[in-house]
Amino acid sequence: MLSHPWIVYTAAFLSTRIDRARNAPTRGASAVEWVIITAIIAGVALGLATLIKTLVEGKQAEISNQFGGGGGGGDQGGGGEP
């Protein structure tokens, strides 16, 4: 399994990239900058997702309360007593 051509290619590709990053000081600094930028973007995205989720859940509760507490359907729909 470890001798599969794709695995060998991926290992060689990654080792080459790692060697380049280690031996080129400016590339290492650039990689760190990209990691920091990506982390900031991910943090902002997570914050926005949390905000949107909170707003949607609030509106959902508001709509649910307007329709009588939600969850049931009341007397409508079923085959019970007339």
Side-chain angles (χ1 to χ4, degrees), residues 51-74:
L51 177 66
I52 291 170
K53 179 182 176 202
T54 303
L55 291 173
V56 168
E57 287 176 347
K59 286 294 183 181
Q60 177 187 5
E62 182 182 324
I63 291 170
S64 178
N65 289 336
Q66 288 178 355
F67 285 104

Side-chain angles (χ1 to χ4, degrees), residues 74-82:
D75 296 328
Q76 299 174 348
E81 296 181 29

